[in-house]
Every structure is written in C-alpha cells, then in structure tokens.
C-alpha cells in the first residue's frame, strides 16, 4: 500500500501535473487526486480507449503489447501507463 | 159382419201374434242380451288372455327394397344366373371417428409415443412421427389388425377404410396431425389415430365478447452480451496453454525424480506406506529446492533456485488479497509513468541533450573553444554535507550511471551514505536507491553482470550489492568484520573472474593495503595483494618511524588513494598515494614495484590510464597540477597543466584518445583536447551553479556526449558538450585514436624531428630542446 502512495506522490510532485488516477482492471478508480466526477469520467473513458489501443497493437502482432499511451490535447496531456491488472493515468500540463 | 169379424179376428190374431212376437222378441232379446253378456264376458276373458299373451316379434335386417331376383351374367358358365343378394345393409351416413378404446394396445402404444415426443418436445419430431407413420403404413395397419380382434366393430371398419384410403389420407393426416400435435402439446396426450386426423371444430357465435383474449406478461429480463475474437486473444490462450502444459510436465518430472528420495523418507518413518501421496511429494521437492544455497556468482544460481521455490510460492500468492499484487506491480508502471511525466517537464532539455549543436562552434573564431550547456541538476536529498563521491557508468545500459553519496567530512566519518542508480531518462529522481550504513566512497559496476556493484565505504568495509534486489536487502555479501580495511576505502575495481569463475575485485585504502576480494557463495574472502611500501630512497622527506605516528607510517606503509588497472593487461596497475608517489605494480609480484614515479607533492586524487594508448596515463592532485605521463619515460611527464586550484577529479574521454576533463575544487571543469590545443583548455567553465558548493567528481557520459559533475551537497549537474569538445567521435577506429595520441607523444618527445618537417611544430612556434620543459599554462 505504501508503495503505491509513495510512487504517486513522487509523480504528483512534478511540475505541471494536474492529477493522478490509479484504476484497476474493472475500471474502478483506486487512488485519485481529482474530484469524484472527474475521476469517474476519466477512468471510464480512458479505460475504453486503452483497451482499444491495446487490442489494436496486439492484433497487429500478438507478441507485442502496449506499454504507454499519450494523448496530447490543446490544454493538457494525458499519459496512460497500462499494466495487466490496472493502469495509471496522469494528466499533465506540459507547457507550465 | 164376417169381414169385421175377420178383421177383428185378424186384428186379434194380429194382436195376438204381435203380442206373441213381442213376447218372442222380448225373449229373443233377453236371450240375446244374455248371449251378449256372455259373449262380452268371454271377449273380456279373451282380451285378458290376449293381453297376457307374449307376442314375439322378429326384426329382420332385410332390405325390403332389395330386389330378390337379380340375375347376372356369369362369364364362366356363359349364362345368366340369378344370384342371391348378400348385402342387405344400406349405409345411410358414415362418419369415421378418431376415438379408440382407452385400454387397447393401440392406445398404449400411442400414449407411450406421445410421452416420448413430449420429452423431445418439438413440433418437428411430431412431424417426423407423422411422416414416419405415413411411410410405414404397413406396420401400423398390421398392428391395428391385431388390435381389431379386441376392438369394436368401429375399429374394424376404420382399419379397412384406412387400408383403402392410406395414400389419400397421408396428406390429410399431416394436416390433421398438425392440429393433433398442437392439441398434444398441452397436457395429456390425446389418443390419436396415426393416419386419419380429422378434427371437427365448431365455433360458437358469440357476440358478447371477443373470442381471442390476449395478455402480455412482463418480458423476461434481457442483458446484452457481445464479445469479439481477435488474433491476440487466441495467441494468449495458446501461450497460457503451453505454459500450463510445461508446468505440468515439470511437476511430473520433479515428482518422479524425487520419488526415490520421498519413498526412502517415507520408509524411514515408522509405518511403511504403500504409496506416498502426490501432494506430499511436491512439497518435498519444493522444500529441497529452496534449501539450495543462493548467492555467490550465482546471480544465476539464485534464479534457478528461485524458480523452483516460486512454484510453491505462487500458489500462496494467489490466495493473498489482490492489493498485494497492486503494490508490487505498480512500481514498474509508476516508474515508466514518472519518466514520461518528467520528460514532459524537461522536454526542451531532453531535446538539447540529444540534439544540441552550438552553431558558434563551427565559426572561425571559435575553433578552439567549446562550451558546456547546462541541462539539469539532480538535487541530492540527503541533507547537508553529503557529497557525491564517485561515479560509475553502467556498461550495459548507456543511460544509467551509479553515483555514491558520502559525507564530506572524511575525518570524523559520520553520516550515512547511499548508492543511487541514476538514469538520463529521469532527470528528477534516482532510479534506484540503496542506503548504506556508512558513507560510500566508491563504486564499480561489473562489466559483464551489470547488476553487481562493489562498493567501498568510509569505515573501511567493502560490499557487493545486487541491484536487482529490493533496496533494503541490496547487500549480497560484505567484508567480514575482521578483514575490513582499517581506514576508508578510496577505490574499488572489478577484475576478471578467477579460474574458479568467481567474481573478484580490488580495493585500495588509506590503511596502506590493496586487497583482492573474492566473492564466494557466502561471503567475501580477502587476500592481500600488496602492502604499499613507502620507498625510502625516493622519498624526499625521510620518514623516521616514531611511536606517535599512525600505525601505517610505523610500518612504512604509504596510504593509497587511487588506483587504476591497465586496460590491456590484467594484472598491472598503478597506485597513487597520499604522499604523491605513484607506483606501478603487478598482482603477480607482491613485494616489489615495477616502477615508481614521484608525481606530485601532495595527495594524488586520481590516476587514470588512457583508454586507447596504454603507455599514457594521467594524474591529478592537491598540488593543482594535472600531469600526463608516458610510461616509458618515468622521469618527466608529457604534459603538466597548472590549474590554480586543487584538482579533484580527472577523466579521459572514451570516445577520443586526446580529450580529457579535469575538475577543480572551485567548481571549474577544464576540458582539454591535446590534438587541438596542447596548452590551453578548450573549455573552462563553472559547472557548479551553486557557488558555495565544491566540485567533487566529473565524468564523461559518452552515449549522449554529456559531462556530469557532482558537488559536495549531493547534486549532480549534467552538461552537454558542444561540438568542439566532442571532436573525434566520427573517427571511431581505435587505430586513428592511437595514431592521434602517438602523434601527440611524438610531438612532445622529439620536437627536433618535428622541427625539421612538421607543420604542427611550426604552428606552435617550437620550443626546442627535449621534452624536459614543463609547459606551464596560465589561465
């Protein structure tokens, strides 16, 4: 438990990080630093996108797997690090 | 009077006769009446008798309208013959029925069939039944004929009609059978005749309410389900299946291999068991594998033991709550994420790191100058007074390097230290931190097994760390208490594995000894290589051992401060001492040195061989000088650079034989390229942004052309070399590097030859004389 918190704290201390969310494989947020509605929103949407992305990569070559996903928008950047059981979402403002 | 009389007489006679007649009539009447009465009585009696009479009546089934004299022509005899009519029955109306007796055989058969069809429960089967019926009429009719004997006359007639109309009725039976089947579907089976289903339905005319009534129930709950099959799902399952099969094979092999051992143990126990149970055997195998010794040069050995042991552990892990998994797996993911987040923050710096090309460097006035571009600084978070004491690059991963932290105050030897693995991909935090009880003075990464680090500590201990382990258990083995150095260990270096394939490394310490440590399974074994003797004849100040002197001095041991192995040979190395003398030694000779150089007046902080030209090495020390030596001429150095400040560290560039950097305590890094300028540095720059901090270490990172500098507050500053400083990268062949260096050497030693025809000498404006001159360069 403490490891998760430590790791998240380290990430959150970087400049420009708006929020961090840890979501388990069912799409339920385990840890978050944003408010509830935003968290749930992000979690569900990113979950779907990540599964789609992963399916895409693996369909091309089944031995391959998705390691990282980055979505750059005008306002910020969403970084998603997937894993077998959960994934980590970080929203960052890269310019600041 | 006679007539009258006659008349009278006639009248009298008539009257008399009438009277007589009347009397006779009356008598006749009376008699008749009597007679009639008697007759009536008799008639009554007769009637009664008649009434009581039983009259038999006979009904004849004869057709009264049938002609009785029918003649037909008989062809056989060729004559008309009258034939008797046999048929007296006239059928007025016929309606075949579908009812059969409930207790007849046919009914039984039908009931059983109906049950079967209910069980299979579909209309198709009933249609098949009907089809089968129509296809096998002979069977059915035969069966029916058997029944007919028991049945009523109706059945007999029906069977005959059936036989007569079997094909026509096949269709009718299908239609009728449909109705029959639907009737069948609900509740008990109606006894049906196989072929001839005729249902007569009536419908009452009912205007008061509609004949159809509908109700709608709540529809059953539905849930949508969809899935997709993709190539990788199939692939995953295949891989899982394979892994499972292999695991089973292994288990079986292990079980069968341990069978004799397990069996022996079982028999050794009190009761001989016929067959040891399977699970017990497996437990035994797992325990035995766990007992295998781990450690030693088996980073690999440990792994294999671990796999067997983990087979048992995994089952335990699976039962643990999910959160445990979260903890372990998240660190990997979090690391990746952290790197990305950090790189987002320092994106422009990362670009600089990779792509920086100072345009100024190509221009005319700047051919001999270069700059260092500051990229980032990794802050030390160990508190005040913990300095960066040593750098070592990881040979395998070009972006990783190890930095050690130690307290600045070497005399009091307080404070803790740590070994940190830094990576260029994450400029914010170290990748891996291993805390040690005392300050770590030096570290070396094994060239082949990059997870093995040997460290030398401030309190004289040496240890071997395994970077794969969690940071708390990082120490693989440590020097035994009695065998540690008595003073701080300045430097450690891995050497080739000994003939028994064990890792070994060397350490040099201020207590005057160089020790070779061998990593055995359990611990480190120490072997002294060379006590560093102080050479009296070379010493400028004679040392007279006096009791108040430190024990090393009493034994005439010099205090070693740095050493370096020749890159080409295994066993020759140089030691620099705190007295300023350099000894060239070999591991094969323990008593004598090959050569000694009186290099500096004070402590030598670094001695380094040139990575390309094994004749050349450089030293730097507290006396503010950097000296470059040629091994074949130990009397005088090739070059001397006076840098005005104690030179703490020195590093050759591994991409060019003539480039090096020297770091002075005031924070300046001097980068020289002997090929370009033999007097002045190409770059002299303050690399410690915080003016109060002092430089402690400099090192090149050739993978990205960087320079890292550590200061005494634990910060690591990263700089990018400008193109002028990294010349020679393109010329990658060793030969060209050697040639360059040889040219430089030649230039120093034989300027006379150069004077005759060499351009270089002409450029420099020649110094003349042999290379005795100490070329001082002033800044």
């Amino acid at each position: 438990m403490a490891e998760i918190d430590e790791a998240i704290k380290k990430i959150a201390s970087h400049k420009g990080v708006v929020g961090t969310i840890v979501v388990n494989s069912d799409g339920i947020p385990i840890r978050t630093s944003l408010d509830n509605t935003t968290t749930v929103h992000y979690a569900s949407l990113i979950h779907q996108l990540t599964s789609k992305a992963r399916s895409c990569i693996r369909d091309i070559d089944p031995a391959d797997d998705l390691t990282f996903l980055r979505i750059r928008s005008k306002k910020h950047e969403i970084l998603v690090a997937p894993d077998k059981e959960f994934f980590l979402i970080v929203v960052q403002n890269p310019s600041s | 009077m006679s007539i009258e009389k006659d008349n009278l007489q006639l009248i009298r006679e008539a009257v008399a006769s009438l009277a007589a007649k009347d009397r006779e009539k009356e008598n006749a009447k009376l008699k008749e009446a009597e007679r009639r009465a008697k007759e009536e009585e008799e008639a009554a009696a007769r009637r009664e008798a008649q009434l009581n009479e039983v009259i038999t009546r006979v009904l004849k089934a004869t057709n009264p309208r049938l002609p009785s004299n029918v003649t037909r022509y008989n062809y056989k005899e060729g004559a008309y013959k009258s034939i008797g009519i046999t048929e007296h029955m006239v059928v007025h109306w016929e309606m075949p029925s579908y009812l059969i007796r409930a207790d007849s055989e046919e009914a039984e058969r039908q009931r059983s069939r109906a049950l079967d069809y209910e069980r299979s429960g579909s209309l198709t089967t009933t249609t098949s039944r009907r089809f089968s019926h129509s296809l096998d009429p002979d069977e059915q009719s035969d069966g029916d004929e058997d029944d007919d004997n028991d049945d009523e006359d109706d059945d007999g007639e029906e069977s005959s009609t059936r036989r007569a109309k079997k094909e026509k009725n096949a269709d009718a039976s299908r239609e009728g059978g449909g109705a029959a089947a639907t009737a069948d579907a609900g509740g008990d089976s109606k006894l049906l005749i196989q072929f001839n289903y005729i249902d007569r339905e009536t419908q009452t005319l009912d205007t008061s309410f509609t004949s159809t009534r509908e109700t709608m129930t709540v529809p059953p709950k539905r849930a949508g389900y969809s899935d997709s099959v993709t190539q990788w799902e199939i692939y995953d399952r295949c891989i899982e299946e394979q892994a499972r099969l292999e695991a089973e094979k292994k288990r079986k092999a292990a079980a069968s291999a341990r069978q004799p051992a397990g069996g022996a143990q079982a028999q050794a126990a009190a009761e001989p068991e016929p067959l040891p149970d399977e699970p017990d055997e497996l437990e035994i195998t797992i325990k035995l594998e766990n007992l295998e010794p781990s450690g030693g040069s088996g980073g690999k050995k440990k792994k294999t033991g671990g796999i067997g042991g983990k087979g048992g552990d995994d089952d335990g892990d699976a039962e643990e709550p999910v959160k445990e998994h979260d903890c372990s797996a998240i660190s990997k993911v979090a690391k990746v994420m952290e790197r990305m987040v950090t790189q987002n923050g320092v994106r422009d710096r990362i670009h600089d790191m990779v792509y920086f090309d100072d345009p100024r460097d190509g221009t005319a006035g700047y051919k001999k100058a270069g700059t260092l571009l500051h990229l980032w600084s990794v802050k030390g978070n160990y508190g005040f007074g913990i300095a960066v004491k040593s750098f070592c690059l990881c040979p395998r991963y070009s972006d990783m390097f190890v930095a050690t932290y130690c307290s600045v105050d070497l005399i009091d030897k307080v404070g803790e230290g740590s070994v940190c693995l830094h990576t260029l991909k994450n400029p914010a935090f170290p990748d891996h931190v291993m805390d040690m009880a005392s300050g770590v003075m030096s570290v070396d990464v094994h060239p082949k097994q990059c997870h093995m680090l040997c460290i030398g500590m401030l309190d004289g201990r040496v240890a071997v760390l395994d970077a794969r382990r969690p940071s708390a258990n990082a120490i693989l083995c440590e020097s035994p208490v009695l065998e540690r150095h008595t003073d701080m260990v300045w430097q450690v270096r891995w050497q080739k594995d000994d003939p028994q394939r064990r890792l070994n490394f060397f350490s040099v310490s201020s207590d005057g000894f160089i020790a070779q440590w061998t990593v055995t399974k359990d611990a480190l074994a120490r072997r002294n290589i060379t006590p560093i003797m102080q050479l009296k004849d070379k010493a400028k100040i004679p040392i007279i051992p006096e009791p108040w002197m430190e024990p090393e001095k009493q034994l005439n041991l010099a205090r070693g401060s740095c050493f370096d192995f020749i890159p080409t040979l295994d066993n020759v190395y140089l030691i620099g001492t705190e007295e300023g003398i350099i000894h060239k030694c070999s591991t094969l000779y323990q008593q004598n040195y090959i050569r000694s150089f009186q290099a500096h007046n004070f402590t030598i902080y670094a001695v380094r061989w040139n990575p390309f030209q094994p004749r050349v090495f450089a030293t730097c020390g507290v006396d503010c000088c950097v000296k470059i030596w040629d091994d074949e001429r130990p009397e005088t150095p090739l070059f001397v650079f006076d840098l005005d400040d104690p030179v703490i560290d020195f590093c050759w560039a591994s991409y060019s034989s003539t480039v090096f950097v020297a770091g002075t305590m005031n924070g300046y890094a001097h980068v020289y390229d002997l090929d370009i300028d033999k007097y002045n540095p190409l770059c002299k720059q303050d690399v410690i942004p915080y003016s109060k901090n002092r430089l402690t270490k400099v090192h090149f990172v050739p993978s990205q052309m960087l320079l890292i500098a550590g200061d005494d507050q634990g910060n690591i500053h990263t700089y990018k070399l400008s193109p002028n400083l990294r010349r020679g990268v393109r010329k990658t062949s060793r030969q060209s590097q050697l040639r360059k260096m040889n040219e430089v050497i030649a230039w120093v030693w034989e300027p006379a030859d150069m004077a005759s025809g060499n351009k270089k000498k002409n450029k420099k404006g020649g110094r003349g004389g042999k290379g005795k001159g100490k070329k001082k360069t002033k800044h």
Side-chain angles (χ1 to χ4, degrees), chain A residues 1 3-4 7 10-11 13-15 17 22 30 54-55 58-60 62-63 68 70 72 77 79-83 85-86 88-90 92 94, chain B residues 230-233 235-236 323-338 340-347 426 428-431:
Chain A
M1 273 305 117
E3 276 188 41
I4 303 185
K10 250 210 268 177
I11 294 175
S13 66
H14 282 280
K15 63 169 180 173
V17 171
V22 179
I30 306 177
R54 186 182 258 155
S55 167
R58 298 211 68 203
D59 210 18
I60 294 172
F68 203 82
R70 246 191 194 184
R72 245 288 170 53
E77 181 166 356
L79 305 135
V80 183
D83 187 68
E85 297 128 15
F86 55 85
L88 189 54
I89 307 171
V90 172
Q92 192 187 19
Chain B
T230 48
Q231 195 186 0
W232 53 270
E233 279 171 14
Y235 176 85
D236 276 347
K323 284 187 179 171
E324 296 288 336
H325 282 282
D326 280 357
C327 284
S328 53
I330 200 170
S331 53
K332 208 171 65 163
V333 173
K335 239 186 210 177
V336 174
M337 178 59 83
E338 197 194 326
M340 301 306 279
V341 167
T342 317
Q343 282 182 12
N344 267 349
V346 292
R347 201 165 28 106
N426 186 354
F429 290 106
D431 210 40

Side-chain angles (χ1 to χ4, degrees), chain B residues 401-508:
Chain B
F401 60 92
V402 185
T404 65
Y405 293 85
C406 171
S407 75
V408 180
D409 197 354
L410 297 178
I411 300 184
D412 288 337
K413 297 182 190 172
V414 292
E416 296 173 348
S418 66
V419 180
C420 294
L421 278 139
H422 288 264
T423 167
L424 295 174
K425 292 180 185 168
N426 186 354
F429 290 106
D431 210 40
H432 197 69
V433 175
M434 293 173 268
D435 286 320
M436 298 288 135
S438 93
V440 183
M441 298 272 301
S442 93
V443 69
D444 194 30
V445 180
H446 196 277
K448 299 261 170 54
Q449 300 182 22
C450 303
H451 53 90
M452 294 300 219
L453 313 168
C454 63
I455 57 172
M457 293 194 251
L458 192 56
D459 55 3
R461 290 183 295 160
V462 295
V464 175
L465 305 180
D466 188 347
R468 292 174 309 186
R469 288 177 162 203
S471 17
N473 292 344
I475 294 184
L476 201 58
C477 44
E478 210 181 311
S479 53
V481 176
L482 295 175
E483 291 191 6
R484 56 176 68 165
H485 286 285
T486 47
D487 207 347
M488 63 186 103
V489 178
W490 280 94
Q491 203 166 342
V492 287
R493 191 60 60 90
W494 283 108
Q495 276 304 105
K496 274 202 189 149
D497 291 355
D498 68 356
Q500 284 126 344
R501 290 249 190 132
R502 294 178 297 189
L503 304 175
N504 62 344
F505 63 94
F506 286 76
S507 66
V508 65

Side-chain angles (χ1 to χ4, degrees), chain B residues 115-247:
Chain B
L115 281 173
D116 289 339
Y117 295 137
E118 262 182 8
R119 268 184 237 124
S120 54
S122 62
L123 282 175
T124 52
T125 52
T126 52
T127 51
S128 66
R129 162 169 64 132
R130 277 181 271 118
F131 278 123
S132 68
H133 285 187
S134 54
L135 285 171
D136 310 335
D138 298 332
E139 257 186 43
Q140 303 303 330
S141 49
D142 289 343
D144 284 355
E145 279 180 346
D146 289 341
D147 293 337
D148 283 348
N149 300 331
D150 304 330
D151 287 350
E152 288 175 338
D153 297 341
D154 286 345
D155 276 352
E157 288 171 340
E158 280 142 24
S159 65
S160 59
T161 51
R162 242 178 285 139
R163 266 181 265 118
K165 302 179 189 174
K166 66 182 173 187
E167 263 136 355
K168 280 187 215 162
N169 284 341
D171 295 326
S173 73
R174 266 181 236 128
E175 291 163 2
T182 50
D184 222 11
D188 288 341
S189 58
K190 245 194 279 185
L191 300 176
L192 300 169
I193 305 167
Q194 289 88 344
F195 297 108
N196 223 347
Y197 307 140
I198 298 179
D199 243 5
R200 180 177 278 198
E201 292 164 10
T202 56
Q203 182 173 3
T204 52
L205 275 177
D206 210 333
T207 51
S208 58
F209 54 91
T210 52
S211 59
T212 58
R213 240 183 246 177
E214 288 175 4
T215 54
M216 187 124 80
T217 55
V218 174
K221 275 194 182 167
R222 282 187 202 161
Y225 179 80
S226 69
D227 206 354
S228 58
V229 176
T230 48
Q231 195 186 0
W232 53 270
E233 279 171 14
I234 300 172
Y235 176 85
D236 276 347
R237 288 299 297 272
C238 287
I239 296 283
E240 265 178 39
E241 190 65 25
Q242 258 183 15
R244 198 178 56 81
L245 287 173
E246 272 179 31

